[in-house]
């Protein structure tokens, strides 16, 4: 059974019992990310069983008060065993119900799967782990089918892994074809989840069984899959998800847009007449969205097709983004000096401890949260019993967590999450740019920010176009990624009107503005929803117009990490995109009448 389906069903049951509904406070909105987090789209793959408390919430958890507590009774009523529920509550505290549910679902799915699979020796692990098969790196891929155990190609290995997770052969084949053989298992599952949530009867992923590779198979019950798809389809109709068009924007592979500094570049494109600047506009959001989202964004932004770029071609970390803009694309140039391109270039001290079986050269997308100390401690304990290279089953478990949480090697058998200053370096921000705010806010703000080198490459064409400076309307400014990109390109900012709801982020941008001795005017406004035509007319009358309108609206309802409210552009936060269009259209109309 697929983990995501079980989780969604149990979560709905819990919320019906509890009467609670998930929500996001205005100040807790993830304004620009991630991807992003595309890496959290599935919590645990069958090829690893290091199940731990990974996310750090920043709040202390409390222990269960008694076995008769309300939370305990609710989860037992959902079908979980009392012993399992008590362990989850002790681990996370009664108030952290989402984490409890996550842990219980993980336990249930893996326990169900493990009964059908051959158990492997775990004598190398400490006695602390003897109480549960979940605490070691058991080989969950073992099977009596010799053909599946010995795939003959990389494509078959990916197919095998996806089929073991419950996807059909047809689905797995389409995902690999669309995303490419170089895609990670995380990227493939995110693609499949987006397709399922967006359109259950998507022609690209047919439900009915079709001829596939004879040497591969799946035992996932077709009746259960049909029920799951019917449920997703019903939920989609209820939420009126956008994305029913037959024609959709497809993600390129490789994701290099109109070109990158180290490769061939496209020098010309035709823009619709309504899209031609000034003003120039630049809109950014995550590339991996539910079906139809980028079609809608493109349609509203004057039918300009998106430019999809993965920042791994600019720096040492991946960051898949779509950019809809009307900027020229010829004569682009990168920031110099070029940033580190590999993990070892970016983090040279890690090279000494990097094991030969960790073949990563790039980090995955930087997230707004980080792993717990408990996870890194358990990885160390799992490895310390081996003098040389650990067994393959242990390597798989460790590598799953390292890729998911961007863990790097800091000592013998020791991994650690990236520090905020390393986030800054990888994303192209000045050193100590976010210093002075809480550690949690630093991760959150940086995880939602632009990758400076990527954005600056696109902005570089503006330097010769505006030698006397530029007027910028910055929507969803965050910690000032667009402003820093312009500054590093040597483009003087005469006036910047910045709209950002987070006071923490506004203070970071204001501090940078003052520290870099910017001579222009920085005007802060808190909310894009309150920016109206009268206010824009005053700014345009004072400045003579805006040269660039830039922003990236919240992606909360677009990313693969949001398993409960991935509602596309109709979601509570991501619908703020329409304010980007509204404001841009007002600016164009007002400036046309000057």
């Amino acid at each position: 059974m697929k983990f995501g389906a079980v989780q969604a069903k149990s979560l709905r049951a819990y919320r019906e019992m509890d009467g609670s509904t998930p929500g996001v406070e205005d100040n807790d909105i993830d304004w620009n990310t991630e991807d992003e987090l595309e890496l959290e789209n599935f919590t645990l793959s069958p090829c690893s069983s290091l199940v731990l408390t990974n996310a750090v919430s920043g709040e202390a958890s409390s222990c269960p008060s008694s076995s008769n507590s309300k939370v305990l009774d609710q989860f037992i009523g959902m079908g979980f065993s009392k012993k399992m529920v008590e362990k989850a509550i002790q681990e996370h505290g009664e108030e952290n119900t989402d984490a409890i549910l996550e842990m219980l679902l993980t336990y249930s799915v893996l326990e169900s799967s493990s009964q059908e699979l051959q158990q492997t020796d775990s004598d190398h692990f400490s006695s602390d782990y003897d109480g549960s098969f979940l605490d070691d790196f058991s080989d969950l891929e073992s099977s009596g089918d010799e053909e599946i155990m010995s795939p003959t190609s990389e494509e078959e290995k990916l197919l095998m892994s996806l089929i073991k997770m419950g996807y059909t052969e047809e689905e797995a084949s389409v995902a690999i074809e669309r995303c490419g053989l170089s895609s990670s298992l995380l990227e493939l599952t995110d693609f499949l989840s987006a397709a399922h949530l967006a359109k259950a009867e998507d022609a690209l992923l047919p439900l009915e069984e079709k001829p596939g590779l004879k040497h591969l198979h799946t035992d996932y019950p077709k009746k259960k899959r049909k029920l799951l798809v019917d449920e997703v389809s019903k939920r989609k109709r209820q939420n009126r998800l956008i994305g029913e068009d037959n024609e959709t924007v497809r993600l390129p592979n490789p994701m290099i847009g109109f070109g990158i500094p180290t490769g061939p570049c496209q020098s010309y494109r035709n823009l619709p007449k309504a899209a031609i600047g000034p003003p120039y506009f630049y809109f950014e959001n995550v590339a991996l969205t539910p079906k139809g989202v980028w079609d809608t964004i493109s349609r509203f932004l004057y039918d300009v097709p998106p430019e999809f770029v993965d920042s791994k071609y600019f720096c040492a970390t991946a960051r898949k983004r779509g950019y809809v803009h009307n900027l020229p694309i010829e004569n682009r140039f990168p920031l110099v000096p070029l940033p580190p391109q590999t993990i070892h270039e970016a983090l040279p001290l890690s090279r000494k401890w990097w094991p030969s079986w960790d073949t990563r050269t790039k980090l995955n997308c930087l997230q707004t949260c980080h792993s717990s100390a408990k996870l890194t401690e358990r990885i160390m304990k799992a490895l310390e019993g081996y003098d040389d290279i650990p067994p393959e089953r242990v390597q798989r478990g460790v590598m799953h967590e390292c890729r998911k949480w961007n863990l790097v090697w800091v000592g013998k058998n020791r991994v650690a999450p990236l520090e905020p200053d390393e986030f800054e370096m990888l994303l192209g921000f000045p050193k100590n740019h976010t210093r002075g705010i809480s550690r949690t806010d630093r991760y959150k703000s940086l995880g939602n920010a632009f990758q400076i080198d990527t954005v600056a490459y696109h902005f570089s064409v503006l330097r010769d176009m505006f030698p006397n400076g530029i007027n910028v309307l910055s929507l969803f400014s965050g910690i000032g990624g667009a402003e820093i990109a312009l500054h590093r390109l040597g483009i003087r900012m005469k006036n910047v009107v910045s709209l950002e709801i987070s006071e923490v982020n506004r203070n970071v941008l204001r501090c940078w503005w003052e520290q870099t001795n910017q001579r222009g005017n920085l005007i802060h406004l808190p909310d894009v929803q309150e920016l109206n035509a009268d206010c824009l007319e005053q700014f345009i009358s004072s400045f003579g117009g805006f040269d660039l309108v830039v922003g990236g609206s919240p992606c909360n309802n677009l990313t693969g990490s949001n398993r409960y409210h991935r509602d596309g552009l109709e979601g509570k936060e991501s619908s703020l995109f329409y304010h980007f269009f509204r404001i841009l259209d007002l600016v164009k109309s007002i400036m046309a009448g000057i």
Side-chain angles (χ1 to χ4, degrees):
M1 183 178 294
K2 282 183 62 180
F3 177 76
V6 182
Q7 185 181 48
K9 182 178 179 181
S10 295
L11 182 68
R12 284 192 296 273
Y14 169 73
R15 281 173 175 152
E16 288 174 1
M17 296 169 60
D18 188 51
S20 63
T21 55
V24 180
E25 298 295 335
D26 289 342
N27 288 334
D28 290 333
I29 290 175
D30 289 343
W31 288 106
N32 261 338
T33 200
E34 16 179 320
D35 256 68
E36 329 178 116
L37 299 170
E38 79 195 52
L39 297 176
E40 288 190 320
N41 192 40
F42 73 102
T43 303
L44 190 68
S45 70
C47 61
S48 67
S49 59
L50 182 67
V51 180
L52 306 157
T53 307
N54 294 339
V56 176
S57 65
E59 295 183 5
S61 60
S62 59
C63 297
S65 57
S66 71
S67 60
N68 296 320
S69 68
K70 179 181 178 182
V71 175
L72 181 67
D73 292 340
Q74 286 175 337
F75 283 113
I76 292 175
M78 293 166 63
F80 298 110
S81 70
K82 180 179 179 181
K83 182 178 179 181
M84 190 183 294
V85 175
E86 288 178 339
K87 182 176 180 181
I89 293 176
Q90 183 178 6
E91 184 81 14
H92 297 287
E94 287 187 344
E95 296 180 356
N96 199 348
T97 53
D98 284 342
I100 294 172
L101 181 59
E102 187 90 9
M103 184 175 180
L104 291 172
L105 289 167
T106 302
Y107 277 25
S108 298
V109 173
L110 289 178
E111 189 170 24
S112 176
S113 299
S114 67
Q115 293 172 358
E116 303 172 5
L117 300 172
Q118 179 182 358
Q119 296 299 311
T120 57
D121 181 68
S122 60
D123 292 341
H124 290 287
F125 296 92
S126 66
S127 60
D128 294 339
Y129 300 94
D130 292 341
S132 172
F133 73 94
L134 294 170
D135 293 324
D136 63 23
F137 295 94
S138 300
D139 187 356
L140 296 184
E141 286 186 343
S142 59
S143 170
D145 191 333
E146 190 62 28
E147 291 182 349
I148 292 183
M149 282 298 293
S150 303
T152 58
S153 70
E154 188 65 29
E155 180 178 5
E156 290 176 14
K157 290 180 182 178
L158 290 172
L159 280 168
M160 179 186 70
S161 298
L162 291 171
I163 288 170
K164 285 289 186 179
M165 295 173 66
Y167 295 105
T168 65
E169 294 173 16
E170 187 71 13
E171 290 174 331
S173 298
V174 170
I176 293 172
E177 178 184 354
R178 291 295 177 82
C179 299
L181 282 174
S182 61
S183 300
S184 67
L185 193 60
L186 293 167
E187 293 169 333
L188 293 172
T189 53
D190 193 76
F191 173 89
L192 289 164
S193 295
H196 278 161
L197 288 174
K199 190 172 184 180
E201 276 98 30
D202 188 352
L204 300 176
L205 297 171
L207 295 175
E208 55 271 21
E209 185 176 5
K210 293 187 178 182
L213 299 176
K214 293 182 179 180
H215 65 285
L216 293 174
H217 70 276
T218 178
D219 296 327
Y220 186 71
K222 294 179 177 59
K223 183 177 180 181
K224 291 183 179 180
R225 177 172 288 282
K226 185 64 169 62
L227 291 173
L228 167 63
V229 171
D230 289 344
E231 183 178 342
V232 172
S233 182
K234 179 180 178 182
R235 179 179 181 274
K236 178 186 171 185
R237 288 193 298 271
Q238 291 174 342
N239 290 320
R240 305 191 306 277
L241 288 179
I242 296 175
E244 299 294 338
D245 303 332
N246 291 326
E247 297 296 327
T248 61
V249 174
R250 295 186 177 183
L251 299 180
N253 186 27
M255 200 176 287
I256 59 174
F258 298 124
I260 56 177
T262 57
C265 298
Q266 181 178 331
S267 60
Y268 180 77
R269 64 169 174 164
N270 285 316
L271 286 173
K273 185 177 180 180
I276 298 175
Y280 292 101
F281 63 86
Y282 188 87
F283 176 82
E284 178 261 11
N285 216 307
V286 296
L288 301 174
T289 65
K291 182 181 176 183
V293 166
W294 279 108
D295 297 272
T296 302
I297 292 172
S298 177
R299 185 166 64 250
F300 271 83
L301 297 182
Y302 315 104
D303 293 314
V304 176
E307 177 178 10
F308 291 108
V309 180
D310 188 341
S311 291
K312 72 179 182 180
Y313 297 106
F314 289 84
C315 64
T317 183
R319 205 169 189 79
K320 294 179 174 65
R321 294 291 186 267
Y323 305 91
V324 176
H325 62 88
N326 62 346
L327 295 170
I329 61 173
E330 63 271 15
N331 299 322
R332 288 171 164 178
F333 58 88
L335 288 174
V336 289
L338 295 176
Q341 298 297 303
T342 66
I343 296 175
H344 289 160
E345 290 177 3
L347 306 168
L349 296 180
S350 67
R351 185 191 299 268
K352 177 181 179 181
W353 307 108
W354 208 271
S356 60
W357 45 270
D358 185 345
T359 59
R360 290 177 295 163
T361 59
K362 301 276 187 178
L363 294 164
N364 282 324
C365 179
L366 303 182
Q367 306 180 30
T368 56
C369 57
H370 60 91
S371 67
S372 68
K374 183 177 292 186
L375 171 64
T376 58
E377 180 183 353
R378 291 190 179 181
I379 289 176
M380 181 178 66
K381 288 183 178 180
L383 293 173
E384 65 185 6
Y386 304 96
D387 295 331
D388 196 8
I389 297 176
E392 184 179 351
R393 59 187 173 83
V394 177
Q395 293 180 30
R396 284 198 299 267
V398 172
M399 289 310 303
H400 168 73
E401 300 299 340
C402 286
R403 290 190 177 99
K404 178 178 180 180
W405 296 102
N406 278 324
L407 302 176
V408 295
W409 300 91
V410 295
K412 184 178 180 180
N413 297 332
R414 289 180 56 212
V415 292
L418 296 169
E419 294 295 325
D421 60 330
E422 293 169 332
F423 267 49
E424 292 173 345
M425 177 268 296
L426 290 164
L427 293 173
F429 283 87
K431 186 177 181 179
N432 295 325
H433 181 68
T434 56
R435 187 174 182 180
I437 64 178
S438 73
R439 184 180 176 86
T440 299
D441 283 337
R442 293 186 76 183
Y443 279 114
K444 179 180 176 182
S445 297
L446 289 163
N448 290 326
F450 285 167
Q451 204 289 320
I452 302 296
D453 299 275
T454 308
V455 174
Y457 184 66
H458 298 161
F459 284 177
S460 61
V461 298
L462 297 171
R463 190 168 72 178
D464 292 337
M465 297 172 63
F466 297 96
N468 297 320
I470 191 171
N471 293 322
V472 180
L473 178 56
S474 179
L475 308 177
F476 316 103
S477 299
I479 54 176
E483 290 81 356
I484 293 172
L486 292 169
H487 173 70
R488 291 189 61 189
L489 287 165
I491 301 174
R492 185 171 69 89
M493 290 167 281
K494 296 186 293 186
N495 297 283
V496 174
V497 177
S498 169
L499 289 96
E500 168 57 41
I501 198 168
S502 167
E503 184 178 1
V504 169
N505 290 344
R506 293 199 302 269
N507 290 338
V508 169
L509 177 54
R510 170 67 66 182
C511 184
W512 171 84
W513 188 271
E514 295 172 351
Q515 288 178 347
T516 53
N517 298 317
Q518 300 293 324
R519 297 182 180 180
N521 301 310
L522 175 62
I523 302 171
H524 268 310
L525 298 175
D527 194 348
V528 296
Q529 299 177 82
E530 298 177 2
L531 185 60
N532 55 32
D534 291 340
C535 189
L536 286 170
E537 285 179 350
Q538 293 179 16
F539 288 134
I540 291 173
S541 175
S542 175
F543 304 155
F546 289 105
D547 304 306
L548 174 66
V549 180
V550 59
S553 58
C555 67
N556 297 56
N557 309 115
L558 306 181
T559 64
S561 61
N562 192 338
R563 295 183 291 272
Y564 312 128
H565 288 271
R566 202 181 191 200
D567 299 331
L569 293 174
E570 291 190 357
K572 178 182 177 182
E573 286 78 38
S574 294
S575 63
L576 290 172
F577 156 74
Y578 296 108
H579 285 283
F580 181 94
F581 163 71
R582 174 185 65 83
I583 293 169
L584 173 61
D585 208 49
L586 280 173
V587 170
K588 288 174 67 71
S589 299
I590 296 170
M591 289 180 60
I594 295 179

